[in-house]
């Protein structure tokens, strides 16, 4: 069974640009959550999608958005990039909502210059 | 909201010794507590989890204990090996709330 696939693995963008990251969950998993990981702040929750609907949202500005498609694949978008958006963006896949095991992808390393 | 504190931030042990990482949480409604291992260049890997109706769970050299009254849970790794060297994260959640993570513990196993 394939794991969680995130693309691309690495991205370098310039301040002010926008970026779209993709996540394909484990087959059959319907819940996708996104996290931002930085050395100073650790793993911070961005949002959760289930059945194409955003179910939870973390404390991030509106420049961060996401969506989920009918096949459970998810994308997140960051507009008007800032230097502080440089981070590892991780996607986690779960079978359902609630207290079920969450499996992470390898992440997308975003560098904003 | 939930807040998870994790200690220590770094831990060095000799190969073969045991390692213990401790976490406390603030929300008494939390009832699911997973532990993740993250190696360099990789995403976090789920290694063990425990739910609030269980006090202890073991999987080979790894064990997790939960004290709901005191709101703390711990990861125990016995007979440590160099390949156990990584960053370990605890997390907590309740119901449909997202996982809240501790800041991580960098474990170094010295051969």
């Amino acid at each position: 069974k394939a794991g969680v696939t995130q693309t691309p693995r690495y991205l370098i963008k310039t301040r002010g640009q926008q970026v779209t990251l993709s996540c394909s969950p484990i087959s059959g998993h319907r819940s996708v959550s996104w996290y931002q990981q930085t050395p100073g702040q650790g793993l911070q929750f961005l949002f959760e999608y289930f059945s194409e609907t955003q179910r939870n949202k973390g404390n991030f500005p509106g420049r961060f958005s996401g969506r989920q498609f009918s096949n459970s694949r998810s994308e997140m978008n960051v507009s008007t990039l800032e230097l502080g958006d440089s981070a590892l963006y991780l996607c986690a896949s779960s079978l359902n909502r609630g207290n079920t095991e969450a499996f992470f992808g390898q992440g997308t390393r975003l560098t904003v210059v | 909201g939930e807040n998870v504190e994790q200690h220590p931030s770094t831990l060095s042990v000799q190969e073969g010794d045991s390692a213990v990482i401790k976490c406390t949480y603030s929300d008494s409604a939390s009832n699911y507590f997973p532990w993740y291992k993250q190696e360099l260049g990789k995403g976090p890997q789920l290694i063990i989890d425990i739910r609030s109706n269980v006090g202890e769970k073991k999987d080979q050299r790894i064990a997790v204990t939960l004290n709901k009254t005191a709101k703390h849970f711990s990861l125990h790794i016995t007979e440590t090996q160099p390949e156990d060297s990584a960053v370990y994260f605890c997390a907590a959640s309740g119901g449909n709330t997202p996982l809240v993570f501790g800041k991580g513990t960098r474990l170094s196993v010295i051969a």
Side-chain angles (χ1 to χ4, degrees):
Chain A
K1 204 176 199 180
V4 180
T5 303
Q6 291 189 246
T7 56
R9 288 292 312 279
Y10 303 93
L11 267 177
I12 299 176
K13 290 286 188 179
T14 305
R15 272 180 301 175
Q17 287 187 312
Q18 73 157 14
V19 67
T20 299
L21 313 182
S22 179
C23 172
S24 293
I26 293 169
S27 178
H29 283 200
R30 299 165 62 198
S31 175
V32 173
S33 296
W34 289 88
Y35 290 83
Q36 181 195 65
Q37 186 175 29
T38 58
Q41 297 299 317
L43 280 146
Q44 291 192 291
F45 172 75
L46 281 156
F47 23 66
E48 177 204 1
Y49 285 89
F50 180 82
S51 292
E52 302 175 64
T53 303
Q54 187 180 90
R55 304 293 177 154
N56 276 307
K57 189 177 193 309
N59 189 26
F60 279 83
R63 300 185 297 107
F64 291 81
S65 63
R67 59 179 176 169
Q68 186 180 36
F69 302 95
S70 58
N71 62 357
S72 294
R73 190 178 71 85
S74 177
E75 290 181 347
M76 67 164 281
N77 184 277
V78 188
S79 62
T80 320
L81 284 166
E82 301 177 0
L83 295 179
D85 297 333
S86 295
L88 180 68
Y89 289 88
L90 291 160
C91 163
S93 157
S94 298
L95 189 61
N96 283 304
R97 299 198 70 211
N99 300 334
T100 58
E101 293 92 339
F103 300 93
F104 282 88
Q106 293 207 345
T108 294
R109 172 74 62 187
L110 172 64
T111 302
V112 182
V113 297
Chain B
E2 176 64 276
N3 182 53
V4 177
E5 300 280 342
Q6 181 172 348
H7 299 280
S9 56
T10 60
L11 179 60
S12 291
V13 299
Q14 291 291 131
E15 182 178 359
D17 287 351
S18 295
V20 180
I21 302 170
K22 298 182 179 182
C23 288
T24 59
Y25 61 99
S26 61
D27 189 349
S28 56
S30 289
N31 56 12
Y32 177 62
F33 308 92
W35 286 87
Y36 288 84
K37 173 184 181 182
Q38 188 173 26
E39 297 173 306
L40 201 59
K42 296 185 177 181
Q45 175 194 2
L46 177 65
I47 56 173
I48 195 167
D49 58 12
I50 192 167
R51 300 176 193 277
S52 59
N53 58 344
V54 175
E56 183 176 1
K57 185 176 178 180
K58 282 185 180 179
D59 183 3
Q60 299 182 5
R61 297 185 297 108
I62 293 174
V64 58
T65 59
L66 171 65
N67 183 327
K68 282 222 73 178
T69 304
K71 295 203 198 98
H72 66 70
F73 56 113
S74 301
L75 178 71
H76 305 251
I77 306 174
T78 58
E79 299 171 19
T80 53
Q81 301 165 4
E83 51 265 39
D84 293 329
S85 295
V87 179
Y88 291 81
F89 293 94
C90 63
S93 75
N96 287 325
T97 61
L99 288 171
V100 175
F101 286 83
K103 294 286 191 201
T105 297
R106 183 173 300 279
L107 173 64
S108 299
V109 179
I110 303 160

